[in-house]
Amino acid sequence: MAERAILNTDIRKGTINKNIYGHLSEHLGRCIYEGIWVGEDSPIPNTNGIRNDVVKALKEIQIPVLRWPGGCFADEYHWKDGIGDREARKRMINTHWGGTVENNHFGTHEFMELCEMLECEPYINGNVGSGTVQEMSEWVEYLTFGGISPMSELRQQNGHQEPWAVTYFGVGNENWGCGGNMRPEYYADLYRQYQTYVRNYGDNRIHRIACGPNVDDYHWMEVLMREATRFMDSITLHYYTIPGPAWENKGAATGFETGEWFSTLEKALRMDELITKHGVIMDKYDPDKRVGLVVDEWGTWYDVEPGTNPGFLYQQNTIRDALVAGVTLNIFHKHSDRVRMANIAQTINVLQAVILTEGVKMLLTPTYHVFNMFKVHQDAELLDLTIDSGTYSFEGREVPEVSASASVTDAGIIHVSLCNLNHAASATVPLELRGLSGQKVEVRGTTLTGNKIDAHNTFSQPDAVVPQAFTAFILEGDLLNVELAPMSVTVLEITPKA
Ligand code: AHR
């Protein structure tokens, strides 16, 4: 039982950037091909080759920003291979991911059209690892320059007269690893060089994103901030939640034991420590917090589903993933003064996906439902919320039992998101509502839970884990007593009455 929770409805702590609800879609496994792109001649209903069901589902959760083409794929992607007559485009081997043939049918024009359909911002990741300065510079010119130039003319020849608006541009991905195995000193210099030619054309203003550290590589963050702060608008952080003890033994997405439930959530909570510690380094070089931290890869990473291509990173998604999503989004809210964007990996059929497909069939995962429930926080104002939660323990290890955050919309509607991490026991949260000056409120809620720790949706039972109306609360004056079911994610809507 939580000892006490206090929500100061009149203390605002800054805007929760909607881009925290962003996604990554890489040329990996069945994320782009089948998940998004099926081609114009497919029997799967599509618009110009892009699946209609997926677009509809992603619009529903108000996807704000989409990162592409990778991931590791970004640093071996040569964008000119993906433009012009589709049938004449180069075919290549996707060496990182399963050794499949990449036919380049989904390229710049297709991605930009997808973003237009989704009404989301494109976040394009350029190639530093195996690409040239000229290649990156020309991509930006092709995308955003409206005047007379070779790249602008090439774009027009390929059917797009006007330039696109592109705000977010990443200069390399994981350059400490798959993006070139560089030392931070070397990458910092390359970053400074490459970003020089990522030009602002016309009114288009590019937000330059430097490749940041993996997990707790504080040295990488220190060097990048020391050498390149003034040349960047944001820097990335990658952190995946891997329950198992080793990379070769990450654990299964379903059929796991209670210990794995616990260690998964314990590890997901580490995001808070990572952002805090990287934030201290960033504060040293950027005390005014001009530079954003972009957590552009996060989520669970398990062993692949048995019988699937190990390079496709296909995994099921359970109520445990819903808890990881809820806990992580609450952490991002708390750090929204520094975390300006985050991109869960990856949108469809890869890692902690919000959507799974099987041919023409599509299902929404528990993680999708959390994104749908939490979308009310997008661009809302973070509220001061303290929760003295009880602990949830397993074999002598402890984590806070309840994770929570709250925000208020422009219209004055308050939302509180609460996750009960305990797999077996319900949690009571006595939530004191302060600062309402005697105003009465109306409370409603939605909750997501499962009947077992690996409850999940399948193509034969796509609605096994879906949100339900939440009524387990009692309002007495300013005290809202909330009873959270075991392993549940809940969002309360509190509307002050005139
Ligand atoms: O998301 C899968 C991979 O994880 C990405 O390609 C890479 O950036 C990271 O290592």
Side-chain angles (χ1 to χ4, degrees):
M1 156 150 173
E3 306 289 325
R4 200 171 186 210
I6 299 171
L7 174 61
N8 285 303
T9 63
D10 53 350
I11 300 182
R12 296 175 178 223
K13 302 177 90 173
T15 304
I16 296 170
N17 196 316
K18 67 177 179 186
N19 288 338
I20 282 171
Y21 287 81
H23 293 249
L24 161 64
S25 54
E26 180 169 7
H27 289 237
L28 194 177
R30 295 182 299 118
C31 183
I32 294 289
Y33 297 107
E34 184 187 317
I36 291 171
W37 177 260
V38 290
E40 288 151 339
D41 300 331
S42 171
I44 298 173
N46 68 85
T47 303
N48 299 336
I50 295 171
R51 282 182 87 122
N52 294 342
D53 52 356
V54 162
V55 167
K56 184 165 177 265
L58 291 176
K59 280 187 82 165
E60 174 64 23
I61 57 173
Q62 294 170 11
I63 177 172
V65 60
L66 185 59
R67 178 174 176 235
W68 171 84
C72 293
F73 185 79
D75 281 86
E76 63 178 359
Y77 182 61
H78 301 284
W79 68 271
K80 284 184 185 166
D81 296 348
I83 54 172
D85 175 18
R86 231 173 257 134
E87 295 311 320
R89 292 184 194 174
K90 274 189 197 163
R91 288 152 64 86
M92 62 186 271
I93 300 296
N94 189 333
T95 54
H96 279 295
W97 305 121
T100 50
V101 174
E102 162 67 58
N103 64 14
N104 278 303
H105 280 197
F106 190 87
T108 300
H109 290 251
E110 291 77 14
F111 175 66
M112 294 306 290
E113 183 168 8
L114 170 66
C115 291
E116 280 165 11
M117 288 180 187
L118 295 173
E119 294 172 37
C120 79
E121 291 258 19
Y123 165 14
I124 292 187
N125 212 121
N127 178 349
V128 171
S130 70
T132 62
V133 176
Q134 180 180 358
E135 186 180 359
M136 186 179 288
S137 169
E138 286 183 342
W139 200 3
V140 174
E141 182 186 323
Y142 185 89
L143 285 158
T144 64
F145 185 53
I148 298 168
S149 84
M151 291 305 111
S152 180
E153 282 164 22
L154 185 57
R155 184 194 63 242
Q156 291 170 36
Q157 280 164 28
N158 287 331
H160 208 273
Q161 198 63 26
E162 297 302 320
W164 290 282
V166 176
T167 305
Y168 300 104
F169 197 91
V171 180
N173 167 74
E174 295 197 350
N175 302 95
W176 37 261
C178 64
N181 287 307
M182 299 172 193
R183 295 174 309 112
E185 293 79 4
Y186 180 66
Y187 171 73
D189 281 344
L190 282 188
Y191 173 77
R192 290 168 61 129
Q193 180 188 6
Y194 275 67
Q195 68 78 37
T196 306
Y197 303 93
V198 175
R199 305 267 190 217
N200 288 325
Y201 291 107
D203 295 336
N204 194 66
R205 288 289 166 273
I206 297 216
H207 184 105
R208 292 170 178 74
I209 302 177
C211 166
N214 189 31
V215 194
D216 55 0
D217 186 349
Y218 299 114
H219 176 62
W220 184 281
M221 180 61 91
E222 178 80 35
V223 173
L224 262 291
M225 291 302 290
R226 187 183 71 217
E227 303 299 338
T229 293
R230 72 192 168 96
F231 301 104
M232 66 174 80
D233 298 300
S234 282
I235 185 164
T236 65
L237 168 66
H238 287 184
Y239 175 57
Y240 285 98
T241 298
I242 301 167
W247 195 249
E248 306 71 44
N249 181 16
K250 296 185 278 297
T254 57
F256 49 85
E257 303 292 329
T258 311
E260 282 174 84
W261 168 278
F262 187 89
S263 62
T264 304
L265 295 175
E266 187 181 41
K267 288 183 174 181
L269 286 165
R270 193 172 173 218
M271 184 68 87
D272 190 24
E273 171 198 320
L274 296 172
I275 296 172
T276 303
K277 290 186 176 172
H278 282 297
V280 169
I281 299 168
M282 293 179 76
D283 286 349
K284 183 168 141 194
Y285 296 98
D286 177 38
D288 297 334
K289 299 191 194 301
R290 181 189 62 80
V291 175
L293 184 62
V294 166
V295 189
D296 64 0
E297 288 189 31
W298 69 273
T300 53
W301 194 324
Y302 309 122
D303 297 335
V304 297
E305 291 301 317
T308 64
N309 186 328
F312 281 16
L313 312 185
Y314 178 69
Q315 63 190 40
Q316 248 297 356
N317 192 292
T318 69
I319 187 67
R320 174 176 62 164
D321 295 272
L323 266 294
V324 170
V327 160
T328 306
L329 291 167
N330 279 340
I331 292 169
F332 291 155
H333 293 171
K334 176 178 153 195
H335 291 282
S336 53
D337 59 337
R338 190 59 99 170
V339 179
R340 312 269 166 75
M341 190 199 292
N343 306 75
I344 191 169
Q346 300 194 7
T347 325
I348 302 157
N349 293 331
V350 171
L351 300 177
Q352 192 175 347
V354 293
I355 293 172
L356 302 179
T357 65
E358 196 179 77
V360 73
K361 291 187 230 159
M362 179 194 87
L363 69 77
L364 308 175
T365 67
T367 300
Y368 175 94
H369 294 304
V370 172
F371 271 71
N372 204 17
M373 290 161 66
F374 276 46
K375 69 187 178 193
V376 290
H377 292 297
Q378 291 189 18
D379 277 346
E381 287 280 307
L382 182 68
L383 290 177
D384 184 67
L385 172 66
T386 49
I387 178 159
D388 184 1
S389 162
T391 52
Y392 167 42
S393 49
F394 181 81
E395 293 181 346
R397 281 143 53 204
E398 287 186 343
V399 295
E401 187 169 50
V402 175
S403 141
S405 71
S407 70
V408 60
T409 66
D410 283 348
I413 300 170
I414 296 160
H415 295 101
V416 185
S417 39
L418 297 152
C419 305
N420 179 8
L421 282 64
N422 196 319
H423 73 285
S426 57
T428 306
V429 179
L431 180 64
E432 195 181 324
L433 304 174
R434 292 191 182 168
L436 285 167
S437 313
Q439 258 182 307
K440 296 223 174 310
V441 296
E442 188 177 284
V443 183
R444 295 195 306 188
T446 310
T447 194
L448 185 75
T449 186
N451 57 2
K452 52 183 180 169
I453 56 175
D454 70 344
H456 59 276
N457 296 329
T458 61
F459 291 101
S460 52
Q461 273 195 298
D463 294 331
V465 183
V466 288
Q468 311 284 346
F470 178 74
T471 52
F473 58 84
I474 297 171
L475 181 63
E476 289 171 337
D478 290 345
L479 191 66
L480 184 62
N481 272 303
V482 184
E483 180 86 2
L484 302 172
M487 51 182 176
S488 64
V489 179
T490 301
V491 175
L492 300 174
E493 181 183 284
I494 303 172
T495 311
K497 293 279 130 202

